[in-house]
Amino acid sequence: MSQSHPRISKAVIPAAGLGTRFLPATKATPKEMLPVVDKPAIQYVVEEAVAAGLDDVLMVTGRNKRPLEDHFDRNYELESALEKKGDGERLAKVQESSDLATMHYVRQGDPKGLGHAVLCAAPHVGDEPFAVLLGDDLIDPRDPLLQRMIEVQQEHGGSVVALMEVAPEQIHLYGSAAFEATSDADVVRLSGLVEKPSREEAPSHYAIIGRYVLDPAVFDVLSKTEPGRGGEIQLTDALQQLAADATLGGPVHGVIFQGRRYDTGDRGDYLRAIVRLACEREDLGPDFRTWLQRFVTEEMQQR
């Protein structure tokens, strides 16, 4: 019999990373503000949280991340200029980001890892389950992963992570999970997690991607978690403790995701994400697809 668990209303978005893979573009611009077509990557993530019913968003930032706050704030001068020009379409786009959700911000201070960033959210989250969305992973809105994860957490309690099968040679880039099946085809119960294992050490080819729904018990575990791989406090290590002992904060389940995911933390995948999303836009797609086809079939063959 399913149990009733507290409603989830808060989302935490860690955004304190330096974005070194995108230098020099990220020397003065947060990586989360790099545009994916005509919206910064971070806005897609906030929109996903809101679509899942999470209208209270805490962003964990660091130094040089002020543009994130500015983007989700009102810009009265720009709005006034657009209004005077009668440009209602662009005015609506500018106002959209400031009306999305109730935004909060806290600084991580020292870059001590994802686990530490999540721990910084404890005073805001309090004693209720919450979601964590990593800004590098964009999930296509047609594939409601986060909603499904919330459903699983509401049914089983504890914590839920998103899993996606990757090529064996890529598993070292992610956390990897050992698990057993449940009565739901897309839901598994985790028995072990390893952060960025070698191909030989990985318990499976299923990677933990950047979506979590966490029991607040994770905060107590994180506060006692020693630095792990890379000298950082790893969220994966804390989840491993929860998976090993459900009395600490309930079980840890995984939702196996087979939908569309865009990894904007990698330069190649970032470019592919822009191309895919641009091709699917009604306003850009037809002309862009025509040009892209011509570019691939004609110009690239001449190189």
Side-chain angles (χ1 to χ4, degrees):
M1 180 180 296
S2 63
Q3 302 178 21
S4 177
H5 297 282
R7 175 184 175 270
I8 299 172
S9 63
K10 295 179 180 178
V12 175
I13 303 177
L18 298 176
T20 53
R21 284 180 288 181
F22 282 84
L23 286 171
T26 51
K27 178 182 178 181
T29 301
K31 66 174 182 175
E32 297 84 4
M33 289 300 296
L34 295 179
V36 180
V37 188
D38 55 4
K39 283 193 299 190
I42 194 66
Q43 184 170 333
Y44 289 88
V45 179
V46 174
E47 289 173 348
E48 180 187 350
V50 172
L54 312 182
D55 53 8
D56 184 315
V57 178
L58 174 70
M59 206 167 288
V60 183
T61 67
R63 288 180 291 276
N64 301 322
K65 297 284 185 169
R66 181 61 185 270
L68 292 172
E69 299 184 34
D70 291 341
H71 180 71
F72 293 100
D73 198 0
R74 298 290 300 272
N75 186 327
Y76 293 103
E77 294 82 359
L78 177 58
E79 292 177 26
S80 177
L82 292 172
E83 190 172 8
K84 289 178 181 178
K85 290 173 60 177
D87 195 339
E89 181 179 354
R90 288 189 173 86
L91 176 61
K93 290 182 178 180
V94 168
Q95 292 176 331
E96 181 181 14
S97 60
S98 57
D99 295 335
L100 272 174
T102 301
M103 302 294 298
H104 308 271
Y105 303 90
V106 63
R107 286 200 174 191
Q108 185 176 5
D110 296 320
K112 297 180 181 179
L114 176 58
H116 180 258
V118 171
L119 188 57
C120 290
H124 179 77
V125 169
D127 189 25
E128 59 184 89
F130 64 105
V132 174
L133 300 85
L134 303 190
D136 288 346
D137 281 334
L138 302 189
I139 304 298
D140 194 293
R142 293 167 294 184
D143 300 314
L145 170 62
L146 188 57
Q147 288 96 318
R148 177 58 176 150
M149 294 175 67
I150 292 173
E151 290 173 2
V152 172
Q153 198 280 335
Q154 295 288 276
E155 179 179 356
H156 297 286
S159 298
V160 183
V161 302
L163 300 175
M164 190 171 190
E165 189 171 15
V166 300
E169 60 270 17
Q170 292 183 319
I171 195 64
H172 71 281
L173 301 172
Y174 302 88
S176 178
F179 53 80
E180 56 190 37
T182 71
S183 57
D184 292 317
D186 64 334
V187 179
V188 295
R189 179 160 176 168
L190 274 59
S191 56
L193 301 92
V194 182
E195 177 67 17
K196 296 184 178 179
S198 66
R199 180 173 178 173
E200 295 72 26
E201 296 172 333
S204 75
H205 297 153
Y206 282 85
I208 303 168
I209 59 176
R211 298 294 180 272
Y212 308 81
V213 178
L214 302 176
D215 187 277
V218 74
F219 293 131
D220 184 56
V221 177
L222 282 169
S223 69
K224 302 171 185 175
T225 300
E226 295 294 328
R229 185 173 291 274
E232 298 180 335
I233 298 174
Q234 299 291 347
L235 178 59
T236 302
D237 293 342
L239 289 170
Q240 162 61 27
Q241 294 186 52
L242 292 174
D245 185 358
T247 64
L248 293 176
V252 179
H253 285 85
V255 169
I256 296 177
F257 182 61
Q258 297 179 320
R260 288 155 286 201
R261 166 182 173 259
Y262 312 112
D263 181 1
T264 60
D266 174 83
R267 288 175 298 175
D269 282 347
Y270 170 75
L271 294 174
R272 284 186 280 272
I274 293 174
V275 171
R276 288 172 182 166
L277 292 173
C279 283
E280 294 175 357
R281 288 268 294 262
E282 292 183 1
D283 57 338
L284 298 173
D287 289 342
F288 185 67
R289 288 193 300 268
T290 299
W291 172 85
L292 186 62
Q293 185 176 27
R294 185 171 64 248
F295 176 74
V296 172
T297 58
E298 298 177 8
E299 296 186 37
M300 287 300 293
Q301 291 179 1
Q302 299 173 9
R303 294 175 181 268

